[in-house]
Amino acid sequence: METLESGSPLESVDRALRLVEMLRHGELLTVKAAAERLAVAPSTAHRLLGALVYRGFAVQDRERRYRAGPAISQQHDTALSTSELRATARAGLDHLHAAVGETVQLMVLQRWSIKFIDGIECDAPLRVGVRVGDLMPAYCSAGGKALLAELSNTDLEVLHRGGLPPWPTARIATLAALKTQLMTVRRRGYGMNNEETEQGVSGVGVAIRDPAGKAVAAFTVAVPSVRFDRSGVSAYVASLREAVELTQAQISDLPRRAPQ
């Protein structure tokens, strides 16, 4: 029986599949980054990426980074781009900000991380800053937990097969603990962050779904912990759900893409 011995054909296949998985989750890869992620020489990473380009699983942009190619992206022709998400979610984000008077943000899931793609900052002197463009482990964030709760336990195990990525203020240390907390998130329908993304910040998050019911993003309300009243969580959740319903209606009104 063939094993994953160094340099074996099976190991090459495994490495190529790992690259496909990264690309499928929206990562942009340079040869150097791919080599580091796979723990191989740059020449090996370049050869593997070249094979993926040849088969349509990757394309190279003007900055010589590799992104998902048509063999991957055509399977997701109903997926929303970041710009489309920002545009369709803006009215909901405005509504949420007006309702809660705190910093509100829009995020998407990228592998085990969340990426902030839009936000509106609170006007109060003591406030949480908007973090557009930032990445952090999803399991620390209220919106990240809401998105992870949409995954099966099997998907969670694949996503975190190397363990949970470290984070300075994380309170969840193991995959088992994360699964337990996500059971609560599924039951409640929202995620919470109690100074897990950073000290002094608490939050509540709810997932946004496309017409097929797939979670595509999340809204969060981020509040300085000294001002965060747990008895007011239900009010935050109600405002979040109103914003989510508004955004989901906007997404449903988007023209359907023709099959590739």
Side-chain angles (χ1 to χ4, degrees):
M1 181 176 179
E2 190 171 22
T3 61
L4 285 175
E5 294 174 356
S6 179
S8 72
L10 184 54
E11 185 175 54
S12 294
V13 171
D14 180 70
R15 287 169 175 165
L17 290 174
R18 287 167 62 191
L19 289 174
V20 169
E21 185 180 42
M22 296 173 204
L23 295 168
R24 184 170 63 86
H25 284 90
E27 291 196 42
L28 298 178
L29 295 172
T30 62
V31 170
K32 180 182 178 182
E36 290 174 350
R37 294 285 293 276
L38 297 177
V40 298
S43 59
T44 300
H46 186 264
R47 185 169 63 252
L48 289 169
L49 288 165
L52 295 182
V53 170
Y54 180 75
R55 293 296 180 183
F57 287 95
V59 293
Q60 200 172 17
D61 63 20
R62 292 180 180 178
E63 298 178 25
R64 303 186 67 80
R65 299 173 302 180
Y66 294 83
R67 65 175 71 240
I72 296 175
S73 59
Q74 71 184 7
Q75 300 171 19
H76 304 282
D77 57 3
T78 60
L80 296 171
S81 68
T82 298
S83 59
E84 286 173 322
L85 271 173
R86 277 199 296 258
T88 54
R90 190 64 196 189
L93 203 61
D94 286 336
H95 176 87
L96 181 58
H97 182 252
V100 301
E102 297 287 355
T103 295
V104 296
Q105 306 202 70
L106 174 68
M107 62 185 61
V108 294
L109 191 65
Q110 289 193 354
R111 288 176 63 78
W112 55 73
S113 298
I114 46 126
K115 182 176 183 179
F116 296 90
I117 63 171
D118 203 359
I120 305 173
E121 202 165 283
C122 172
D123 293 329
L126 178 62
R127 60 184 179 270
V128 179
V130 167
R131 307 185 62 150
V132 174
D134 285 1
L135 289 165
M136 66 173 57
Y139 75 91
C140 299
S141 159
K145 291 176 188 177
L147 291 169
L148 289 177
E150 299 290 317
L151 304 178
S152 68
N153 279 343
T154 299
D155 287 337
L156 286 169
E157 289 163 5
V158 171
L159 200 59
H160 298 99
R161 60 178 176 270
L164 301 182
W167 191 253
T169 50
R171 297 194 175 191
I172 300 173
T174 66
L175 182 56
L178 175 60
K179 288 178 181 177
T180 298
Q181 186 162 133
L182 292 181
M183 288 174 62
T184 301
V185 174
R186 294 183 189 108
R187 176 171 53 81
R188 290 175 173 171
Y190 62 88
M192 288 187 63
N193 150 37
N194 182 22
E195 297 190 294
E196 296 165 72
T197 56
E198 60 183 297
Q199 262 190 330
V201 174
S202 297
V204 186
V206 174
I208 302 166
R209 295 179 177 82
D210 66 12
K214 179 183 177 183
V216 294
F219 281 138
T220 60
V221 176
V223 186
S225 296
V226 295
R227 197 162 64 231
F228 186 74
D229 182 2
R230 293 183 73 89
S231 66
V233 167
S234 59
Y236 289 136
V237 171
S239 296
L240 280 159
R241 287 175 174 160
E242 288 175 1
V244 164
E245 287 177 9
L246 178 58
T247 301
Q248 289 177 168
Q250 298 271 34
I251 293 173
S252 294
D253 287 341
L254 288 173
R256 298 290 179 88
R257 293 190 178 109
Q260 299 282 319

